[in-house]
Amino acid sequence: MYAIRVENLTREFEGLVAVDHISFNVESGEIFGLLGPNGAGKTTTINILCTLLKPTSGYAEVAGFDVVEEKDRVRENIGVVFQELALDEKLTGRENLEFHAMMYGLRGEERRKKVEEVLGLVELYDKADMLVEKYSGGMKRRLEIARGFIHNPQVLFLDEPTLGLDAQTRRHIWDYIKELNRKYGMTIIITTHYMEEADYLCDRVAIIDNGKIIAMDTPQRLKDILGGDVITVEVEGDVERLLQCLKRQEWIKDTKRRDGFLDLTVEKGERRIPELINLSQKIGVNISYISLHKPSLEDVFIHFTGRSIREEEGEKNIRRGRKGFRR
Amino acid sequence: MKSIEWVAIYVLWLREMKRFVRAKSRVVGMLGMPLFFLVFMGLGFSNIPGLPGDIDYIHFLVPGIIGMGLLFTSVFAGLSVLWDKEFGFLKEIMVAPVSRLSIVLGRTAGNATTALIQGILILAISAIMGFRPNGIVGLGLAVVFMLLIATTFIGLGLIFASNMEDMHGFSLIMNFVIFPIFFLSGALFPIENLPEWIIKICYVNPLTYGVDGLRGALVGVSSFPIAVDILLSTVFSIVMVLLGAYFFKKSESV
């Protein structure tokens, strides 16, 4: 059974197409990632799926319910952690959880137990009775994740869950997400523009750019599209001679020469480096530099779009700064 | 799904109460303006022309100032949806499996309670200035009017909030909506003192009947029969809250 079905989903904002005829299915129990630069349409997609925005056209179904026609049924079955914090900072952590649980129909003893349980899971037990405005960014995020799954939703949406957090906190959050998926079999949809996040967490990833899905598969298979690892070598002496010799090797899938360097596409690059050195010594060519690059989802993104996700970061920061100033 | 969920209404009411209790500066802040009006107007005018019956100005003024306090607090409370939008909390409420009407009723209940507390505080302070209400029944009736005024203008605030992106239009609303409503309600002086064509505007102003009803309940003097005040205030209140709910439901929260 599919937890989410999306068919030709489209959303326009005053002529601007934010989501452009996307289709995908998410299986029950999967961690599914929407990876792409800011402004690619990830958040719009999430907002449509959790009933906050109406699609311009197309169809979407969450937990078996139509997101337009059966909003209330969808809402009962999802948990959402939004990109921007959505906590009441004038309430304590526990009150935020309690109120949320009440809204979702948890009662009495069951509610009390559940609140304790999730507080324990995200390790906020000691801070539960502090006002949220006193929390650090990481603590707020953890509280939101706890709140997102306290009512046992079938599908949990996480929109950029680690945005703006330091590396250590990010690791921590990843662990909670994995734990949730493993322990409760919860279907999780996560949007991110961090390649390593998508790679580490997701069973499958859809790469999205300009409102369109440009590739979708497991992280490993997406990276396999690139054909393997790249070993880059620089040599002192006869480059051409080494190149001719390497071209005869079966395990080297591709060779490319670029200003003094040789790029070799191979599988399991780390195991091939010694062999490469032996070969070059045998024919009397000295290697002066060697490096191994394992393909990342970033490379996959570049492969499909011709630009890097990171390049877009700068623009986004400018936009944010402006927004901050307006406040 | 039912359209009125009591638990959700209770949760949203409780949230307002907790926030209210924790925000001491808010309590003081919202009492400030009505108190200054009460003290300085009350001291400055011992009598003005056209006062009904044989009451002095302070007894005329206090119900008006209570109405004023309720007006400002309530419109602002209705607009506070925009703060929730700004701070993201609105989304959390909007994805909850509860009807939009329940959300509006819950907020309204919470905000009306805080407005009522404010009204009663103003009443208590005015007693120090020599104000004497007209018996216990009158006080009970006054509470009813306070609630009707509060819900009416929370509804109005919500109508504005649902049609606004952010707080930018706030001063516009303050200057061109709230102040005219206040001055043309008979809160500070009898509307009979105004020219005929302005009086007509006063007649479509919800606060006119709220203040008049308060005055009838607390002081025993009113321009309209109390039954008329109650009826019209109730109608205004229901219409405004439902309109607020309608626009709230229509607006997209992201």
Side-chain angles (χ1 to χ4, degrees):
Chain A
M1 186 203 147
Y2 290 123
I4 293 178
R5 290 205 310 135
V6 174
E7 272 167 34
N8 278 320
L9 197 68
T10 302
R11 168 75 199 208
E12 296 174 14
F13 293 101
E14 289 150 22
L16 192 103
V17 186
V19 175
D20 193 355
H21 297 88
I22 62 169
S23 302
F24 62 89
N25 295 328
V26 178
E27 274 180 57
S28 236
E30 217 177 3
I31 301 186
F32 184 83
L34 288 171
L35 172 69
N38 296 299
K42 296 171 303 205
T43 299
T44 305
T45 306
I46 295 288
N47 281 337
I48 293 172
L49 292 179
C50 64
T51 74
L52 288 183
L53 276 180
K54 272 196 199 127
T56 308
S57 67
Y59 176 80
E61 183 183 288
V62 175
F65 301 108
D66 186 327
V67 298
V68 177
E69 299 299 325
E70 299 167 292
K71 285 200 182 84
D72 286 323
R73 303 307 305 277
V74 172
R75 287 174 186 149
E76 281 168 18
N77 286 292
I78 60 171
V80 193
V81 176
F82 294 104
Q83 185 167 336
E84 289 95 20
L85 289 171
L87 295 162
D88 189 331
E89 307 217 335
K90 300 285 178 201
L91 300 178
T92 66
R94 190 189 302 278
E95 283 165 349
N96 267 288
L97 295 177
E98 286 265 349
F99 285 2
H100 178 93
M102 284 167 87
M103 295 271 253
Y104 284 77
L106 293 174
R107 308 218 180 284
E109 184 62 12
E110 187 196 4
R111 181 172 73 230
R112 204 190 54 76
K113 262 193 176 140
K114 204 63 198 173
V115 169
E116 303 296 299
E117 180 191 334
V118 298
L119 278 173
L121 196 77
V122 297
E123 297 169 70
L124 281 175
Y125 207 88
D126 305 335
K127 317 274 185 189
D129 294 312
M130 252 165 67
L131 286 187
V132 171
E133 61 187 358
K134 302 264 184 334
Y135 278 26
S136 68
M139 285 159 69
K140 285 180 187 167
R141 258 303 182 228
R142 270 143 63 193
L143 183 67
E144 286 203 309
I145 291 174
R147 188 179 66 181
F149 72 85
I150 193 169
H151 55 285
N152 269 330
Q154 282 190 44
V155 182
L156 180 62
F157 292 95
L158 303 169
D159 194 1
E160 299 272 6
T162 63
L163 189 71
L165 299 179
D166 60 79
Q168 200 190 351
T169 315
R170 177 172 300 162
R171 275 269 157 196
H172 243 80
I173 302 258
W174 289 355
D175 292 339
Y176 297 130
I177 295 171
K178 283 231 166 198
E179 175 83 2
L180 277 179
N181 178 251
R182 201 168 37 226
K183 205 169 160 189
Y184 303 95
M186 203 174 281
T187 309
I188 297 176
I189 303 256
I190 178 169
T191 78
T192 182
H193 65 282
Y194 297 121
M195 282 57 66
E196 60 284 10
E197 184 162 282
D199 202 349
Y200 180 78
L201 281 175
C202 298
D203 299 317
R204 281 193 312 138
V205 173
I207 298 182
I208 180 166
D209 186 40
N210 287 326
K212 291 195 178 76
I213 291 180
I214 50 177
M216 178 163 53
D217 214 324
T218 65
Q220 190 53 54
R221 275 201 290 242
L222 283 173
K223 288 182 285 187
D224 287 348
I225 293 173
L226 301 175
D229 305 348
V230 175
I231 298 177
T232 302
V233 293
E234 188 185 32
V235 294
E236 289 164 358
D238 197 344
V239 184
E240 200 49 41
R241 190 159 159 213
L242 180 65
L243 188 61
Q244 290 316 316
C245 166
L246 292 176
K247 276 188 172 163
R248 286 194 297 274
Q249 305 298 320
E250 264 170 39
W251 49 272
I252 296 179
K253 291 196 206 157
D254 191 24
T255 57
K256 214 189 303 169
R257 202 172 151 179
R258 67 175 163 92
D259 34 87
F261 292 97
L262 284 179
D263 285 339
L264 314 169
T265 306
V266 302
E267 265 169 37
K268 294 213 168 62
E270 62 278 13
R271 304 211 159 268
R272 296 299 184 181
I273 288 175
E275 203 170 337
L276 192 65
I277 293 171
N278 281 340
L279 258 174
S280 62
Q281 274 172 352
K282 227 180 270 168
I283 60 170
V285 178
N286 241 344
I287 290 181
S288 59
Y289 167 93
I290 192 158
S291 79
L292 171 68
H293 178 72
K294 298 223 152 237
S296 67
L297 289 176
E298 171 86 20
D299 299 312
V300 179
F301 186 82
I302 294 171
H303 174 80
F304 280 108
T305 66
R307 27 175 248 284
S308 130
I309 289 187
R310 286 205 184 87
E311 279 168 21
E312 324 233 326
E313 285 298 273
E315 290 171 35
K316 151 100 181 206
N317 287 339
I318 293 168
R319 272 212 305 271
R320 281 210 152 173
R322 233 182 261 147
K323 197 175 177 196
F325 182 71
R326 186 169 62 83
R327 277 180 197 173
Chain B
M1 172 146 303
K2 298 162 290 170
S3 59
I4 293 182
E5 290 106 343
W6 294 106
V7 178
I9 293 174
Y10 170 69
V11 168
L12 291 167
W13 175 83
L14 192 60
R15 172 182 177 235
E16 289 301 328
M17 292 303 103
K18 296 227 177 204
R19 287 174 66 95
F20 179 73
V21 171
R22 278 167 201 168
K24 309 253 174 348
S25 64
R26 197 172 131 198
V27 182
V28 178
M30 73 184 196
L31 279 176
M33 182 146 66
L35 284 186
F36 286 134
F37 265 81
L38 182 64
V39 173
F40 298 129
M41 300 282 287
L43 292 177
F45 300 96
S46 57
N47 204 352
I48 60 166
L51 286 183
D54 54 356
I55 58 171
D56 56 10
Y57 186 56
I58 191 83
H59 280 81
F60 181 86
L61 183 64
V62 166
I65 295 299
I66 294 173
M68 171 204 184
L70 294 172
L71 168 70
F72 282 82
T73 317
S74 302
V75 173
F76 197 73
L79 285 171
S80 69
V81 170
L82 288 174
W83 289 125
D84 274 349
K85 198 173 188 172
E86 194 85 12
F87 290 106
F89 191 72
L90 187 62
K91 285 188 190 170
E92 149 74 4
I93 297 173
M94 295 305 262
V95 291
V98 294
S99 71
R100 311 296 100 161
L101 182 62
S102 303
I103 294 174
V104 169
L105 291 180
R107 291 189 75 99
T108 305
N111 294 331
T113 309
T114 50
L116 181 64
I117 294 171
Q118 182 193 16
I120 291 171
L121 282 177
I122 297 175
L123 195 56
I125 294 169
S126 62
I128 304 171
M129 293 186 60
F131 181 79
R132 292 292 168 263
N134 205 2
I136 194 83
V137 180
L139 280 177
L141 203 54
V143 168
V144 174
F145 274 109
M146 287 186 208
L147 284 176
L148 290 174
I149 295 172
T151 45
T152 302
F153 291 107
I154 291 165
L156 184 67
L158 194 57
I159 294 171
F160 284 122
S162 303
N163 291 296
M164 287 159 62
E165 272 297 305
D166 48 40
M167 277 289 187
H168 278 162
F170 181 68
S171 63
L172 219 58
I173 290 173
M174 196 74 180
N175 291 321
F176 289 95
V177 180
I178 305 186
F179 274 109
I181 287 179
F182 169 46
F183 285 120
L184 298 181
S185 68
L188 298 179
F189 49 82
I191 53 172
E192 287 82 3
N193 291 5
L194 292 164
E196 192 62 35
W197 63 276
I198 297 189
I199 295 185
K200 291 208 177 86
I201 301 177
C202 300
Y203 285 161
V204 295
N205 179 356
L207 192 60
T208 303
Y209 305 98
V211 166
D212 194 57
L214 274 177
R215 202 168 279 140
L218 289 171
V219 194
V221 176
S222 61
S223 307
F224 311 99
I226 287 239
V228 172
D229 288 328
I230 287 227
L231 183 71
L232 287 175
S233 295
T234 308
V235 170
F236 273 122
S237 152
I238 293 173
V239 169
M240 288 294 195
V241 171
L242 289 183
L243 273 181
Y246 169 76
F247 283 113
F248 181 69
K249 194 176 172 180
K250 248 183 53 178
S251 67
E252 279 187 331
S253 54
V254 286

